[in-house]
Amino acid sequence: MDKIVICSAALLSPEGDLLMVRKKGSSYFQLPGGKMGPGENREQTLVRELKEELQFDVSEIGTRFIGSHTTQAVNELNTVVEGHIFLINLTERRPFAAYEELEEVVWISRHDWKSYRLAHLASEFVIPKWLSGEFDE
């Protein structure tokens, strides 16, 4: 079984909504972020990926590492994904657009999240923390 290592962001709006993205050709929504590049650390990967996918520079924004989780990848066969997740609390809700390999960007709420087909990393690790209020601190 193959393994990929990614860094992703749980971006929260001031209202508490969570930003999710869907890649071209995929039916799963996942957190914005992506694979670590050679010689990159987690923070460098996060900054690069959010610039590529959302045209959003988080290099000067406070991020908080919330943990790592390993699970089955949804877009790659016979592959596990090791995700390193960072929390970013935004001071204003932004109208993000999809760039690079993204097809769709959505804000999901605690009321409508079940309407989306979510990748395992989000559904197993981030969504439970988000719904419990752990990110509201």
Side-chain angles (χ1 to χ4, degrees):
M1 185 151 304
D2 293 326
K3 178 180 174 182
I4 57 174
V5 180
I6 66 169
C7 296
S8 298
L11 284 155
L12 292 183
S13 73
E15 302 81 23
D17 293 343
L18 179 65
L19 191 77
M20 300 296 287
V21 301
R22 186 176 57 77
K23 291 185 177 188
K24 293 174 182 170
S26 175
S27 60
Y28 290 93
F29 284 87
Q30 59 192 46
L31 299 167
K35 296 175 187 170
M36 290 184 74
E40 283 183 328
N41 65 34
R42 293 174 184 174
E43 292 79 10
Q44 291 168 330
T45 300
L46 185 71
V47 168
R48 178 183 52 76
E49 285 288 342
L50 294 181
K51 278 183 186 175
E52 289 174 4
E53 292 184 351
L54 301 172
Q55 301 294 297
F56 184 49
D57 185 0
V58 296
S59 60
E60 302 297 321
I61 295 177
T63 62
R64 181 175 59 138
F65 180 69
I66 57 172
S68 300
H69 184 74
T70 301
T71 188
Q72 183 67 41
V74 294
N75 293 319
E76 300 182 39
L77 293 174
N78 300 316
T79 303
V80 296
V81 59
E82 177 184 307
H84 304 287
I85 313 301
F86 293 82
L87 177 65
I88 300 173
N89 285 298
L90 299 174
T91 56
E92 63 182 358
R93 187 184 191 103
R94 300 173 55 112
F96 289 106
Y99 294 93
E100 295 290 323
E101 72 269 12
L102 297 185
E103 178 86 21
E104 191 175 359
V105 179
V106 296
W107 286 103
I108 65 171
S109 73
R110 288 182 171 102
H111 304 290
D112 70 1
W113 68 273
K114 289 182 181 178
S115 303
Y116 297 90
R117 189 173 186 192
L118 303 175
H120 301 306
L121 186 60
S123 65
E124 294 171 11
F125 185 72
V126 174
I127 297 295
K129 291 177 180 301
W130 175 55
L131 292 174
S132 74
E134 186 174 321
F135 298 158
D136 299 339
E137 302 169 355

